[in-house]
Amino acid sequence: MLGRNPEENRKTETGIKQKNKLELQIMLKLSKYIKPYLLSVIAAILLLFIMANADLALPDYLSRIVNIGIQQSGIETAVPRAIRQSQLERLALFLEPDEQNLIFDAYQLIDPETDDITDLVDEVPGLAEERVYILRDLPDDQLEIIEPIMARGLVILHGLIMMSENPEQAIEIMGELPIDPAQIPPGMDFLTMLEMAPQAQLTQIRERVNQQIVEFPQTLIDQVAAEAIRTEYQALGIDLGQIQTSYIIQTGGIMLLLSVLAGVTSVSVSLLAARTSAAVARDVRKDVFSKVESFSSQEYNQFSTASLITRATNDVTQIQQMLFMIIRLAFFAPILGIGGIIRAVDKSPNMWWIIALAVGLLLLLIVVVFFIVTPKFKLIQQLIDRLNLVTRENLSGMMVIRAFNKQDFEEDRFDQANRELVDVGLFLNRIMAAVMPIMMLIMNGLSVLIIWVGAGQIAASTLQVGDMIAFLQYSMQIMFAFLMLSMLFIFLPRAFVSGDRIAEVLTTKNIIKDPPQPKPLPQPNRGKIEFKDVFFRYPDAENYVLKDVSFTALPGEVTAIIGSTGCGKSTMVNLIPRFYDVSQGNVLVDGIDVRDVRQHDLREIIGYTPQTGVLFTGTVESNLRFADQQATEETLQESLEVAQATDFVFENPEGLQSTISQGGTNVSGGQKQRLSIARALVKRPPIFIFDDSFSALDFKTDAALRKALKEKTGESTVLLVTQRVATVKSADQIIVLDNGEVVGKGTHHTLMETCQTYQEIATSQLSKEELA
């Protein structure tokens, strides 16, 4: 490339190869979702093949209606069904002896004086007046042999008859005549003279005429032969109108059936494509959701929530739409295009360059459009992520925005994200809007050029009108085939971007995995928790959040963890259910390292209440049963009583059926925390973890809840994370954290004497009387 050194060119080529390799890997990754529906795809391809052949057959049948049904009055073949004896014998004069034998063997001579003509005279009225040769019932292969012989003979015979009647027209059609019309004696026609000519002269004339016929285009031979047969049928009194009408109706009926077949297969293919693409999208969406559910906090932090939502919805929809287009168009377009080229060239080999010119212009247009829109398709998905992010932040933080009077700022922020997306969308729409008129101009120019060139060939008798019409329709089909493929390749980059984003989620490796050979937890579970020399730091962080943490939490006891904000309290309890894994050391449950146990089994024995109460859309009952679907009504009410939630739940006439809106926005922070605590209690596990779950409760409710909780969880291990000294005063064991290190361990009274950090926290919250 100009302006680049070899090293830059090499890097560019490497980048392109890596991109192509990545796109191939994406397709292979997502192709596994199509395997369960492979039969549907194969069925769709077969139906597309049928539909394409039906569409390709229609122009051919239309050309037959024009060429044969209209121009040739329904006469399909150069082998007449009936011909007068005098005419056939004259025709035989210009045939070789073996050809004469074939022709006379193909016909049966009917004499009205000796043969029964009752069944034939209605169809061939002229049979009542003279002898007529009637075509025998011959197989198709024999008809194919005698047809070119009859065509040649009919052309010669018709030309000689015209020479007798109109020499100038005969010369126009046949060129040089075998004999000068002026040499024919008065009162005698040329055919009568030939019948009387010596055999040597007749052979010479026949050879000369045959040489002229060989140079005739086949279309001219067909038309002249059909005109000769039409003249013969008129002489015999055969109803040409009935023959023409019958042919047109028969051929039109076939076209109608083909159109119905194409319509039925089109609907069937669309149905199969829609069902397959929707099913694949469902499976991909399910796997994306399952994968996200399996993420630990470490993997979850790699993606924004808005981006994950976009990937599971909009990106999957892009894959669904593209798969539908691939099934519907990617297989149909090549069949239609290749079949159209073959059939068009068969109709008129001399006009192939017109199609090549139009296709070249179309491909040039598509290549230009492709390089313009591809970067924009990649950008538009990122802009959708951005818009979703801004929208989600505004909806979730509406109260804060109002409190700080930032509505105008957030409206501008949303408007900017919205405008960026709209601008890109409008740019793409303008490109597409400009492309369509240009394509129509190319197609209309193609039509005009075909008609102009075809008219010249029709005038030269090298092309029939019906063939030109068929060629025109095949050209349109070829153009549409290339148009469909081109548009498919334009939209593929957006699908590749979406596929890449989906594959990025699906291929994200989980840091926290179940062990290859998991150990079972002891039965019955006691819930004893041990931290042994635990160190932890977040991925890509340099400093440890937890350093050399060691303690034991025993069943039947409440172990409280207290410390200043950001000292690692929540991080420490998150190591127990394996939301994170320790960097060094061990976390043991009933003597077994949590990393040696299946995550499901481990979390099955833990009742967890996070810092922020999380409720799901539904009812109070459905949220409580989230912990145990088989829980009884008594268990639910008992858990609510312990959590001090019966007052606001049963004050509502609906009770347990009270509605909980999305995210629990229709209940207060304290009510949300109490319902979260009640949900954990419904589970009745051997281990309870309350991660600062009492922060939104007043002191009275806090005290009542802790008292009831002590009675309810008497045999369980309770870990209580808090910043309130009043909440931990009655705990059996208090762990004091400072900058990730355990600086104190013991009861409230012990720590007041031995731990300065705890003393500072306690004196900052409680008076001397309360501490005493």
Side-chain angles (χ1 to χ4, degrees):
M1 295 181 185
L2 296 176
R4 289 186 177 180
N5 58 42
E7 180 64 21
E8 290 177 335
N9 289 335
R10 187 186 63 80
K11 290 181 178 179
T12 302
E13 291 175 1
T14 303
I16 294 173
K17 290 179 180 178
Q18 290 176 346
K19 176 188 174 185
N20 294 336
K21 184 178 179 181
L22 177 61
E23 290 179 350
L24 179 61
Q25 290 174 346
I26 293 168
M27 294 304 294
L28 292 175
K29 178 71 178 176
L30 297 178
S31 64
K32 70 174 185 178
Y33 291 99
I34 304 177
K35 289 182 180 178
Y37 312 102
L38 202 55
L39 287 177
S40 296
V41 175
I42 294 173
I45 294 172
L46 293 176
L47 289 172
L48 285 170
F49 185 79
I50 295 172
M51 183 175 74
N53 279 279
D55 288 339
L56 289 169
L58 290 173
D60 184 56
Y61 280 102
L62 179 61
S63 72
R64 293 184 191 183
I65 288 178
V66 175
N67 293 340
I68 299 174
I70 298 175
Q71 290 185 305
Q72 298 177 193
S73 301
I75 299 171
E76 301 181 58
T77 174
V79 182
R81 289 180 293 174
I83 186 171
R84 290 170 290 173
Q85 180 185 13
S86 58
Q87 297 301 100
L88 186 60
E89 290 175 352
R90 285 178 172 181
L91 182 149
L93 293 174
F94 303 98
L95 302 179
E96 300 293 336
D98 55 341
E99 294 177 338
Q100 293 177 6
N101 293 333
L102 284 173
I103 295 301
F104 284 114
D105 289 342
Y107 285 89
Q108 178 184 0
L109 181 61
I110 303 296
D111 189 343
E113 296 181 358
T114 58
D115 296 322
D116 183 11
I117 62 172
T118 306
D119 296 334
L120 296 173
V121 73
D122 291 337
E123 184 180 354
V124 187
L127 189 59
E129 300 176 359
E130 60 180 312
R131 293 180 178 182
V132 176
Y133 278 99
I134 303 297
L135 184 66
R136 300 178 188 273
D137 189 11
L138 301 176
D140 292 340
D141 55 346
Q142 191 171 348
L143 285 173
E144 290 177 359
I145 294 172
I146 68 172
E147 183 174 8
I149 301 172
M150 284 295 295
R152 188 174 74 249
L154 287 168
V155 170
I156 297 171
L157 181 62
H158 186 69
L160 293 175
I161 293 173
M162 289 180 62
M163 186 181 74
S164 301
E165 299 174 353
N166 190 342
E168 290 79 10
Q169 187 178 3
I171 293 172
E172 182 181 349
I173 295 176
M174 300 186 64
E176 185 181 359
L177 298 178
I179 191 170
D180 186 356
Q183 299 178 1
I184 302 175
M188 182 182 294
D189 61 25
F190 181 67
L191 291 173
T192 304
M193 189 180 74
L194 283 178
E195 291 175 348
M196 298 170 59
Q199 186 63 37
Q201 185 182 4
L202 190 62
T203 302
Q204 184 180 5
I205 293 173
R206 180 170 60 233
E207 291 176 353
R208 186 177 176 184
V209 171
N210 285 335
Q211 288 177 357
Q212 289 179 296
I213 296 295
V214 169
E215 297 176 359
F216 284 10
Q218 185 62 43
T219 55
L220 180 59
I221 293 175
D222 292 339
Q223 292 177 44
V224 174
E227 180 62 28
I229 294 174
R230 181 164 53 237
T231 303
E232 183 64 19
Y233 282 177
Q234 288 174 346
L236 289 170
I238 296 175
D239 188 354
L240 286 170
Q242 183 182 1
I243 294 174
Q244 184 179 41
T245 303
S246 175
Y247 181 84
I248 293 175
I249 291 175
Q250 181 182 358
T251 308
I254 295 173
M255 291 182 68
L256 181 61
L257 291 175
L258 287 172
S259 299
V260 172
L261 177 63
V264 170
T265 51
S266 178
V267 172
S268 301
V269 168
S270 296
L271 178 62
L272 287 172
R275 289 174 63 90
T276 302
S277 58
V280 169
R282 177 197 62 205
D283 295 344
V284 172
R285 196 178 294 112
K286 176 184 176 183
D287 282 2
V288 170
F289 184 78
S290 299
K291 184 68 176 181
V292 172
E293 276 196 321
S294 71
F295 281 176
S296 67
S297 299
Q298 181 174 339
E299 289 92 40
Y300 189 79
N301 290 335
Q302 295 179 19
F303 307 93
S304 68
T305 303
S307 179
L308 288 174
I309 293 173
T310 305
R311 292 169 200 245
T313 52
N314 184 273
D315 286 326
V316 174
T317 301
Q318 294 299 323
I319 295 296
Q320 178 180 345
Q321 292 175 348
M322 183 51 59
L323 182 58
F324 177 85
M325 292 178 65
I326 288 174
I327 296 175
R328 189 66 179 80
L329 302 180
F331 299 108
F332 178 68
I335 299 172
L336 188 67
I338 295 171
I341 291 172
I342 294 172
R343 288 174 179 258
V345 172
D346 180 62
K347 290 293 180 184
S348 179
N350 298 328
M351 291 199 293
W352 66 268
W353 61 271
I354 300 177
I355 298 177
L357 176 63
V359 170
L361 291 174
L362 180 64
L363 291 179
L364 177 63
L365 173 65
I366 296 304
V367 168
V368 172
V369 172
F370 180 85
F371 282 104
I372 293 175
V373 303
T374 298
K376 299 298 181 182
F377 279 139
K378 294 179 180 179
L379 177 62
I380 202 166
Q381 295 302 117
Q382 299 172 4
L383 294 176
I384 292 173
D385 275 356
R386 174 65 181 169
L387 185 64
N388 285 343
L389 176 65
V390 174
T391 304
R392 187 174 181 275
E393 286 183 346
N394 272 269
L395 293 176
S396 60
M398 186 62 70
M399 301 303 292
V400 177
I401 294 170
R402 290 175 179 173
F404 285 90
N405 286 325
K406 287 293 183 179
Q407 291 95 325
D408 292 340
F409 173 80
E410 290 300 326
E411 285 178 7
D412 293 339
R413 184 163 164 253
F414 177 85
D415 187 59
Q416 181 182 356
N418 193 27
R419 282 185 177 277
E420 289 176 353
L421 179 60
V422 169
D423 288 344
V424 175
L426 287 175
F427 175 82
L428 293 173
N429 288 333
R430 290 191 191 102
I431 294 294
M432 295 306 168
V435 166
M436 192 53 63
I438 298 174
M439 288 181 177
M440 294 307 299
L441 179 63
I442 294 174
M443 291 183 181
N444 291 332
L446 172 66
S447 301
V448 171
L449 189 58
I450 289 173
I451 293 172
W452 183 63
V453 175
Q457 295 189 8
I458 291 172
S461 297
T462 58
L463 183 69
Q464 290 185 297
V465 175
D467 291 339
M468 187 194 73
I469 294 173
F471 187 90
L472 181 61
Q473 290 189 323
Y474 284 132
S475 300
M476 292 298 104
Q477 289 178 333
I478 294 167
M479 292 295 291
F480 275 113
F482 277 94
L483 178 61
M484 286 187 286
L485 282 178
S486 302
M487 297 308 294
L488 191 65
F489 283 110
I490 285 178
F491 286 102
L492 267 178
R494 185 172 185 180
F496 273 128
V497 172
S498 296
D500 185 17
R501 287 157 56 86
I502 292 170
E504 189 178 357
V505 175
L506 295 175
T507 56
T508 298
K509 294 183 179 180
N510 288 1
I511 303 300
I512 298 177
K513 302 178 182 177
D514 286 334
Q517 297 178 339
K519 296 179 181 179
L521 288 167
Q523 297 296 331
N525 302 119
R526 297 181 62 245
K528 179 183 177 183
I529 299 172
E530 297 177 73
F531 275 64
K532 290 187 175 180
D533 306 321
V534 170
F535 287 78
F536 174 79
R537 64 181 173 192
Y538 288 101
D540 303 324
E542 296 181 0
N543 299 323
Y544 284 102
V545 178
L546 298 175
K547 292 166 278 189
D548 197 21
V549 175
S550 298
F551 71 90
T552 300
L554 298 175
E557 293 185 358
V558 175
T559 299
I561 303 169
I562 193 171
S564 59
T565 302
C567 68
K569 303 186 296 298
S570 296
T571 301
M572 187 167 71
V573 295
N574 284 338
L575 297 175
I576 301 171
R578 291 194 71 194
F579 296 153
Y580 293 101
D581 270 345
V582 297
S583 303
Q584 296 179 33
N586 305 90
V587 177
L588 308 177
V589 173
D590 288 340
I592 299 177
D593 195 308
V594 293
R595 291 169 293 185
D596 295 332
V597 182
R598 289 177 66 241
Q599 296 176 66
H600 178 271
D601 295 342
L602 175 64
R603 292 164 186 169
E604 193 70 22
I605 64 170
I606 298 174
Y608 177 75
T609 306
Q611 277 182 312
T612 304
V614 177
L615 299 179
F616 301 96
T617 305
T619 63
V620 171
E621 182 179 4
S622 66
N623 273 274
L624 296 180
R625 290 190 184 278
F626 197 80
D628 183 4
Q629 290 294 330
Q630 307 304 320
T632 63
E633 292 284 338
E634 291 76 12
T635 301
L636 300 182
Q637 292 190 15
E638 183 182 356
S639 299
L640 289 171
E641 290 174 2
V642 174
Q644 309 300 303
T646 54
D647 54 347
F648 70 86
V649 170
F650 292 105
E651 280 179 2
N652 191 318
E654 296 180 351
L656 291 173
Q657 300 305 317
S658 300
T659 301
I660 299 295
S661 62
Q662 183 180 2
T665 54
N666 61 333
V667 294
S668 67
Q671 291 171 342
K672 190 186 298 185
Q673 281 194 339
R674 281 180 278 173
L675 288 175
S676 297
I677 293 169
R679 180 174 57 203
L681 294 171
V682 169
K683 193 174 184 180
R684 295 183 174 180
I687 298 173
F688 285 97
I689 299 176
F690 299 103
D691 187 3
D692 206 8
S693 306
F694 302 164
S695 59
L697 305 182
D698 58 80
F699 287 103
K700 179 181 178 181
T701 305
D702 185 342
L705 195 155
R706 283 187 286 107
K707 180 180 178 182
L709 192 64
K710 180 66 176 177
E711 299 172 357
K712 173 71 175 178
T713 61
E715 299 298 325
S716 299
T717 303
V718 178
L719 272 76
L720 182 62
V721 175
T722 184
Q723 296 185 47
R724 288 183 180 179
V725 174
T727 303
V728 303
K729 280 177 62 178
S730 59
D732 299 291
Q733 179 181 218
I734 301 172
I735 309 296
V736 184
L737 281 183
D738 186 25
N739 292 326
E741 296 184 67
V742 177
V743 295
K745 189 190 307 180
T747 62
H748 168 72
H749 296 291
T750 303
L751 293 173
M752 286 299 295
E753 297 176 358
T754 60
C755 181
Q756 181 180 356
T757 302
Y758 185 78
Q759 292 172 6
E760 292 174 355
I761 295 172
T763 54
S764 67
Q765 296 182 15
L766 301 176
S767 62
K768 293 182 180 180
E769 293 77 9
E770 290 172 322
L771 289 173

